[in-house]
Amino acid sequence: MSERFFTPWVGSEYNKGICGKKVLVLGASFYCNKDGRQGREKCIYFDECTNPENKDSSKFNSNCPYYKNEVESTSLKDEPTNSIWSYIRAYKIFAKYMYQFFDDKDIIGKYDYDIVWYRLAFTNYVQFFLPTKDTYPCYLSKRDFDAFIRTLGDLKPDVIIAWGLPVTSEIRDNPEHKDYFTDLENLPQTEYYLCHMKVPGVDHEIAYVNCYHPSAPGYWGQNKEILAKYLRVAFNINS
């Protein structure tokens, strides 16, 4: 299997971005709920497709018996795009929040979910469907980081906004990844929200901004002003 299974969503106006910055939103993981629990029907492929040891859903990319009936695309690898256009609550919360940073006079005061996501790229870090909603450390592997670096090389974002702590703990705190970061020693000064990456094939530093997952309303709501503070730094917004 290749290092990257999921194909990132790249909006049609990704290069225009926000405040002239190309933005990659990095979620944690996708999961399958066809597990037979709580009265749900169980997919015949569930145990293999979501196996946390094999960590490979690619065998079922085109033949999932449920997926083709629930979304427009029949390919599991297109889940980043399908998640956005399923208008999931977390994605709506995030889009509305990000709208405050738009500086285009023609769309100020005209918030629209679609407009926001057309300006962004999105994927999740873990490269197979999980058997649980939560992202546990045992699900992560070197493959995920390699896929992440490949995506950075392909999309060359100026800003990464990473949702949740499990993924950032793996990306930022893993000693094997320290050479990809230029200023980890300054994290306490940014309240652990902002640092910078240097990636082969990308000729500029990438701002890495970590935040609570928008699906966790308590933590998200309590900390969104701190997040805005460091996003303004990443976007070079003077305020």
Side-chain angles (χ1 to χ4, degrees):
M1 61 182 175
S2 65
E3 70 273 14
R4 190 169 72 192
F5 175 58
F6 294 112
T7 302
W9 155 261
V10 182
S12 59
E13 295 193 307
Y14 169 71
N15 287 326
K16 187 172 184 178
I18 299 177
C19 296
K21 303 288 187 181
K22 292 182 290 187
V23 181
L24 170 64
V25 180
L26 182 68
S29 59
F30 299 115
Y31 80 102
C32 177
N33 65 358
K34 309 302 183 185
D35 54 10
R37 301 171 192 156
Q38 298 179 343
R40 293 186 292 263
E41 188 173 354
K42 184 173 181 178
C43 176
I44 59 173
Y45 302 131
F46 180 85
D47 291 335
E48 186 176 356
C49 186
T50 65
N51 188 311
E53 294 183 3
N54 294 339
K55 299 178 171 63
D56 184 11
S57 303
S58 61
K59 179 179 178 180
F60 309 101
N61 180 51
S62 300
N63 63 347
C64 173
Y66 294 94
Y67 202 75
K68 62 185 178 182
N69 297 321
E70 296 181 357
V71 295
E72 184 175 343
S73 171
T74 59
S75 296
L76 296 179
K77 64 182 178 61
D78 292 327
E79 182 60 12
T81 296
N82 294 328
S83 289
I84 290 170
W85 301 117
S86 295
Y87 296 92
I88 297 169
R89 182 173 178 270
Y91 295 75
K92 292 193 287 187
I93 290 172
F94 183 76
K96 192 166 186 177
Y97 176 82
M98 291 303 297
Y99 179 71
Q100 67 183 292
F101 302 106
F102 278 58
D103 60 353
D104 309 57
K105 292 183 173 57
D106 58 329
I107 63 173
I108 289 178
K110 302 176 184 177
Y111 166 73
D112 183 89
Y113 176 93
D114 294 14
I115 288 175
V116 175
W117 281 107
Y118 286 145
R119 297 283 189 91
L120 304 173
F122 168 74
T123 193
N124 269 344
Y125 184 72
V126 181
Q127 294 298 303
F128 75 104
F129 277 92
L130 302 190
T132 62
K133 189 172 184 179
D134 293 329
T135 305
Y136 298 115
C138 64
Y139 297 150
L140 307 179
S141 68
K142 184 179 182 299
R143 175 197 182 191
D144 304 320
F145 185 76
D146 291 343
F148 172 56
I149 294 300
R150 174 184 168 186
T151 297
L152 297 186
D154 289 347
L155 301 183
K156 297 176 172 53
D158 299 296
V159 179
I160 300 164
I161 304 175
W163 291 355
L165 300 180
V167 164
T168 287
S169 294
E170 169 62 19
I171 293 174
R172 204 174 61 186
D173 301 338
N174 189 326
E176 295 181 3
H177 304 160
K178 63 183 178 59
D179 290 341
Y180 288 93
F181 290 89
T182 62
D183 56 355
L184 290 177
E185 70 279 2
N186 294 329
L187 274 171
Q189 299 172 27
T190 66
E191 302 171 80
Y192 293 88
Y193 274 81
L194 174 65
C195 59
H196 295 83
M197 298 187 72
K198 194 71 179 72
V199 176
V202 181
D203 61 6
H204 57 267
E205 275 196 337
I206 303 171
Y208 184 102
V209 183
N210 180 228
C211 65
Y212 288 99
H213 200 289
S215 66
Y219 289 113
W220 172 265
Q222 294 166 18
N223 293 275
K224 61 184 181 181
E225 290 305 317
I226 303 175
L227 172 61
K229 172 183 174 181
Y230 291 105
L231 284 176
R232 286 193 289 269
V233 174
F235 291 139
N236 291 328
I237 298 174
N238 296 319
S239 61

